[in-house]
Amino acid sequence: MQKLPRNPDLDHLKRQAKELLAAVRAGDSDARARFAAHLPSLRGHMPDTTAARALRLHDAQSCIARSYGFASWDALRSHVDVARFRASDPASQRRAFAVRAYPGDIIGNMNRARPAEAERLLSAVPDLAAREPAFAPTIGDTGEVRRQIAQDPDWVHRPAGPLNLPPLVAATHSGFLRLEAYRAALYETVDLLLAAGADPNQSVGSRWPPASVADPSEEHRMSALYGAAGQHHDARLTETLLAAGADPDDGESLYHAIEAEDPACLRLLLDAGATIKGTNAIYHALDYEARAPLALLLASAGEAGAEDGLLLWAIRRRRSTAHIEMLLKAGVDPAATAEDGMSAYAKALRYGLPEVARILEEAGARTDLSAADKFIAACACGDRAAASALLAQAPDLIASLDVDALQMLPELAAAGCGDAVRTMVELGWPVDTLGGDWTASVINHAVFRGDGALTEFLLARGAVWTETHGFGDNACGTLSWASLNRPVEGGNWVECAQALVAHGMPPAVPNPADPETVLVGGEVRQFSDEVTQVLLSSSLAARAP
């Protein structure tokens, strides 16, 4: 077993893994023996050429970790983080702990809370919380909370700590609520703060970019209730805060409570009088496949549950026939039309939902279809023969489509309808059309979903990686965010990276200023480890003689 240096460097360990992977693929006997000795799937068996080519970066990282005596790469990485954390100055320690304990809208970035990592850092420096009283509500240190209240009753009202959070917000937004070992103490902390006079409507301005901790948004505020109901979906805390007088109409809690699998918090908010009319709550419920939140909202919405727009939104989100039937039962008009006069029936066919169209027809919807509607419907179902026949009858059909019709390409790409996208592109649809929730071209939607095959297909047919989307970035930025956050289960962002580089995206080079990032075309980027390996390897291949 190898001995890890006293002050290990993660970037150095990453390089070791990349070099080991390259060596085993090149047939190096020492590298093969190392994999046979340490990788569980190969233990005792030297990988042959075929097996070596099938190995990936995560296999090499696992091998490196086990050669140093760790059970996994994550365990090694955690050890390195802790070692670096111990060696840092107190202010850096406080900041590192805080940014792991809270989600992005609290800390000012797009990351999720990482409470398990925060707990490891806390274990590494046990007196960290004692040196920073503002962390007492974060971890549910009820003894310290009682001491602070006894010393200064106004402490319960005062923002403090590296994130400038008042105690009740600090407790209800803390990622430690996701760790069972801390939950009871955090419940008690909230009870103590409320009993000591903390305002149940305590809030802070959002720090979501372009806002920040130093300059929070006053337009968008995050209440303690939002932390309980909208972030953590914690019914116990939600009920406690509502009983103490928290306003259920805080602008965030109802909307985000819909996202939970268990609708308990949503039910509590509605029972407390949360307003549905004038909000996007029902529309947001239609963003998800779960039907329980929609049923609760429709039961309480009255006339707000019969808006025609709900049917059109449900179709755009490609919801099930059960969702459509719930809306119709609530009073939504099956003959609803969009602003441009398109019927819900035609829209359902455009989104490849013939069963939804059938239900609407049976309910009395208008069923007339234009030539464009019929053509798009055939494309949406991936029926190339029918679409080609219609195009043969009207060769200028695609050229005559309006903007809304053309946007069906990125719309269907965003929904994961790969067959429809291929049919449309093969028949001549312009691949640079922008659409979807974030005004992106079809190549950006394919990369976002980690659809490597579709990414290659689109690039081979004229899509370019520099096509920008509504957030002002391009497919390289999409690859960065998606490979790190993995928004679609089963996505293959390595294949997307390979396709993008093969079609003109510059490979990556190391960033000398920051080992956690790379440079792509001179811009600082961060990707998942495996995608980074692909992009760096492409750079080495390009420089090879």
Side-chain angles (χ1 to χ4, degrees), residues 473-517:
D473 210 334
N474 54 40
C476 183
T478 304
L479 178 67
S480 168
W481 191 92
S483 70
L484 290 168
N485 291 278
R486 306 184 70 82
V488 177
E489 185 176 352
N492 191 328
W493 291 278
V494 165
E495 287 187 359
C496 291
Q498 292 168 334
L500 288 167
V501 172
H503 289 274
M505 191 179 88
V509 297
N511 180 6
D514 179 8
E516 292 293 310
T517 63

Side-chain angles (χ1 to χ4, degrees), residues 211-462:
S212 64
V213 173
D215 186 22
S217 167
E218 291 306 315
E219 181 182 358
H220 302 287
R221 297 196 66 81
M222 300 178 295
S223 69
L225 182 63
Y226 165 50
Q231 285 281 3
H232 296 298
H233 312 306
D234 190 301
R236 158 64 163 83
L237 278 188
T238 299
E239 187 171 25
T240 296
L241 290 166
L242 290 170
D247 182 3
D249 287 329
D250 61 1
E252 296 287 353
S253 293
L254 183 71
Y255 184 88
H256 290 285
I258 290 163
E259 298 159 5
E261 291 183 14
D262 181 352
C265 290
L266 176 60
R267 186 179 292 108
L268 288 167
L269 292 167
L270 292 172
D271 289 346
T275 301
I276 297 174
K277 188 175 181 179
T279 74
N280 288 324
I282 304 179
Y283 288 88
H284 192 43
L286 291 166
D287 290 336
Y288 299 89
E289 192 61 34
R291 298 195 294 273
L294 178 63
L296 279 173
L297 289 166
L298 291 175
S300 301
E303 63 180 21
E307 294 179 11
D308 289 352
L310 292 171
L311 178 57
L312 300 169
W313 187 257
I315 291 169
R316 185 182 178 216
R317 289 311 197 208
R318 303 187 84 248
R319 292 281 70 93
S320 69
T321 54
H323 289 83
I324 303 302
E325 288 170 342
M326 290 169 67
L327 292 174
L328 294 175
K329 185 176 180 181
V332 172
D333 185 359
T337 59
E339 290 183 1
D340 61 0
M342 183 187 302
S343 69
Y345 175 85
K347 196 173 189 72
L349 291 174
R350 283 191 174 200
Y351 276 89
L353 301 171
E355 285 303 306
V356 169
R358 179 186 59 78
I359 289 172
L360 294 175
E361 181 179 8
E362 291 174 353
R366 198 184 82 210
T367 59
D368 55 300
L369 297 173
S370 67
D373 291 332
K374 294 175 183 177
F375 175 63
I376 297 171
C379 290
C381 291
D383 188 344
R384 178 163 182 173
S388 298
L390 290 166
L391 194 58
Q393 296 172 15
D396 63 344
L397 186 54
I398 293 176
S400 67
L401 294 176
D402 60 23
V403 172
D404 288 340
L406 290 172
Q407 286 179 345
M408 289 308 304
L409 177 66
E411 285 278 338
L412 290 168
C417 302
D419 288 344
V421 170
R422 287 178 173 84
T423 299
M424 296 163 94
V425 171
E426 287 172 345
L427 293 177
W429 215 279
V431 294
D432 58 351
T433 304
L434 302 180
D437 288 346
W438 41 296
T439 317
S441 65
V442 66
I443 187 65
N444 278 289
H445 288 296
V447 172
F448 179 86
R449 296 186 61 83
D451 191 333
L454 184 59
T455 298
E456 168 63 33
F457 170 87
L458 293 168
L459 290 166
R461 286 159 179 78

